[in-house]
Amino acid sequence: MSVTVPGGTTVRLHRLTMVAEDDGVMVGRPDTGSYAVFPEEGAEVLRLLDAGETVADAAAWYARTCGETLDMEDFLAAVDDLGFLRADGDAPDAEEAAAPVRWQRLGRRTFSRPAWVCYGVLVTAALTAMVNDPALRPSYHQLMFTRHISLIAVTLFGAAIPCILTHEGFHALAGRRLGLPSTLGIGRRLYYLVAETRMDTLLSVERRRRYLPFLAGMLADVLLVSVFTLTSAGLSRTGAPGWLPALFLAVSFTCVLRLIWQFLFHLETDLYYVATTALRCTDLQNATRFQLRALIRRGLRRPPPRADTEWSAHDRAMARRYAPVLVSGYAFSLASLAWAAVPTALAFWSTAIDRFTRAGTPAADLFDAAFFVALTTFELSLLLYVTVRDRRAKSRTATAARRGASA
């Protein structure tokens, strides 16, 4: 796309945020989630244009400061690709700035000082209960809260949904307390389907303010473990049926597993974003993947891959250190797939096929097999859909990202 603007005219920009980074300035539109790193001089050109300077005056400032000519047509085309240029029918700045963020007040209360005190009391009480009663401590044995295996799978699957929503909800509320919108969606990590809270707007705030939104989901899991543990302890004292307190401990253990999952950095978990923020990286995962692809293609004596974006020198340097973590993580996941997941899936599918083809199979077994086939087909179809969707989205945004990064 090209943009032709006479040098003596002005252009209108949407409300942009600018946050200083090690490799430039992160410029973006929080309302659309469009961001790109600009050199400091490029960001200053945007500031001049936003202040009402003409295109010619902004170009002249750049020439005086940098000693070279800025191709304003290409620059404005890149800015337009990112959605920063305002069209005639767009809402005024005042309307954009005044747009309220839903649940912002709830987010502030959720992470207020009184709330933190309550969280501390809750976690302390749960830890005390675990110390006093070893049966309350997390263990995989707690998953077997009933003799009926199919009931365990269905119950824990159903219980996981509100727990995951709570985890993602805390992410969203931690962002909304800062006035940042967020969306909940389904994503993919290798061959895993995951729920994810998309908060690209965090790039609009300083790095130190990004940690809580990243860690809020883990806080929710810790609180859920505490609540379920204390509930189980309380039910045991009241003489409730044995399966009921056991059920709460089983759900609690699934929350513990979700906490452990966060340490799988190669799957871009919450702790991965905490680590990359602390390391002042912008896109460490993709920078590392590109370096590994380039290394493999060089070993095969093939042309180097084409980069969809330009990574900072810092990201490229950190990628060399992160590469062993990424490779070992993927190796672990793929080995787990080959060692456990594939054989287990084949065993289940062979059992289901045997039930469908064997004469005299009880109706309950046929229903069990049909439920397994339907659920597995749904999961595989969703995984395929998410994979295709993400690839198409990446293809659509690659050109705009390259032009914005080089502007």
Side-chain angles (χ1 to χ4, degrees):
M1 179 177 183
S2 62
V3 176
T4 302
V5 179
T9 62
T10 60
V11 297
R12 298 188 306 151
L13 300 174
H14 286 278
R15 185 175 64 91
L16 303 177
T17 60
M18 298 189 184
V19 179
E21 302 283 354
D22 290 346
D23 52 349
V25 179
M26 182 67 71
V27 182
R29 280 185 63 185
D31 58 321
T32 62
S34 177
Y35 291 86
V37 177
F38 281 71
E40 175 58 42
E41 295 80 5
E44 184 60 29
V45 169
L46 289 176
R47 295 188 187 99
L48 292 173
L49 294 173
D50 192 45
E53 296 285 346
T54 65
V55 173
D57 289 341
W61 174 88
Y62 187 92
R64 290 194 307 270
T65 304
C66 303
E68 59 183 10
T69 301
L70 175 63
D71 189 329
M72 290 300 293
E73 185 172 336
D74 279 353
F75 180 82
L76 291 175
V79 171
D80 192 44
D81 285 341
L82 292 165
F84 294 171
L85 285 185
R86 181 185 299 280
D88 292 337
D90 291 336
D93 278 338
E95 293 183 22
E96 288 182 4
V101 176
R102 296 182 62 186
W103 311 113
Q104 185 172 6
R105 181 177 298 179
L106 178 60
R108 290 172 176 171
R109 291 177 178 175
T110 302
F111 300 99
S112 63
R113 289 185 179 180
W116 282 109
V117 172
C118 293
Y119 299 158
V121 171
L122 180 64
V123 173
T124 301
L127 291 174
T128 302
M130 292 179 189
V131 171
N132 294 331
D133 185 358
L136 297 175
R137 300 169 189 172
S139 169
Y140 71 92
H141 296 292
Q142 294 168 344
L143 295 175
M144 309 299 293
F145 65 90
T146 178
R147 297 185 315 125
H148 305 287
I149 298 177
S150 59
L151 183 60
I152 293 175
V154 173
T155 303
L156 293 183
F157 177 81
I161 295 175
C163 292
I164 291 172
L165 290 177
T166 301
H167 175 104
E168 301 301 332
F170 264 57
H171 280 307
L173 288 174
R176 288 175 182 261
R177 66 183 265 277
L178 301 175
L180 303 175
S182 57
T183 57
L184 179 64
I186 300 295
R188 179 180 64 88
R189 301 291 186 271
L190 195 55
Y191 53 82
Y192 302 99
L193 279 173
V194 297
E196 59 184 11
T197 302
R198 301 187 181 98
M199 293 188 293
D200 294 335
T201 49
L202 278 177
L203 297 173
S204 298
V205 300
E206 302 88 347
R207 287 179 182 268
R208 61 182 179 82
R209 303 179 71 187
R210 301 174 194 172
Y211 292 108
L212 179 57
F214 289 145
L215 291 170
M218 296 183 69
L219 169 64
D221 290 332
V222 170
L223 295 178
L224 288 173
V225 169
S226 302
V227 169
F228 293 144
T229 299
L230 294 174
T231 301
S232 176
L235 289 172
S236 298
R237 296 192 186 96
T238 61
W243 64 268
L244 189 55
L247 172 61
F248 278 96
L249 288 181
V251 178
S252 174
F253 187 71
T254 64
C255 296
V256 173
L257 293 178
R258 195 157 46 250
L259 284 168
I260 296 174
W261 160 276
Q262 304 303 334
F263 288 88
L264 301 179
F265 291 90
H266 66 290
L267 298 177
E268 297 179 76
T269 56
D270 298 345
L271 288 180
Y272 161 81
Y273 287 105
V274 171
T276 54
T277 300
L279 294 171
R280 308 190 72 79
C281 294
T282 303
D283 191 11
L284 179 60
Q285 189 87 354
N286 287 321
T288 306
R289 288 172 179 166
F290 180 79
Q291 286 196 6
L292 290 173
R293 287 199 303 270
L295 181 63
I296 293 172
R297 293 177 71 90
R298 186 163 59 246
L300 297 175
R301 300 182 183 279
R302 299 181 62 185
R306 184 175 64 89
D308 291 333
T309 186
E310 283 294 329
W311 292 281
S312 66
H314 181 67
D315 272 13
R316 293 196 299 270
M318 292 302 301
R320 289 190 287 272
R321 301 181 182 181
Y322 179 64
V325 177
L326 187 63
V327 171
S328 59
Y330 277 135
F332 172 78
S333 293
L334 294 175
S336 300
L337 178 69
W339 176 69
V342 171
T344 301
L346 291 176
F348 274 99
W349 275 100
S350 62
T351 300
I353 293 172
D354 178 68
R355 289 180 179 180
F356 286 133
T357 57
R358 188 178 68 246
T361 302
D365 289 348
L366 287 174
F367 176 79
D368 187 41
F371 180 80
F372 163 76
V373 171
L375 182 61
T376 304
T377 302
F378 171 75
E379 292 177 346
L380 292 175
S381 299
L382 186 58
L383 178 62
L384 178 62
Y385 164 76
V386 171
T387 301
V388 173
R389 181 204 65 187
D390 290 349
R391 288 186 180 277
R392 288 179 176 175
K394 182 178 179 181
S395 177
R396 286 195 302 267
T397 58
T399 301
R402 286 198 303 269
R403 298 182 72 172
S406 61

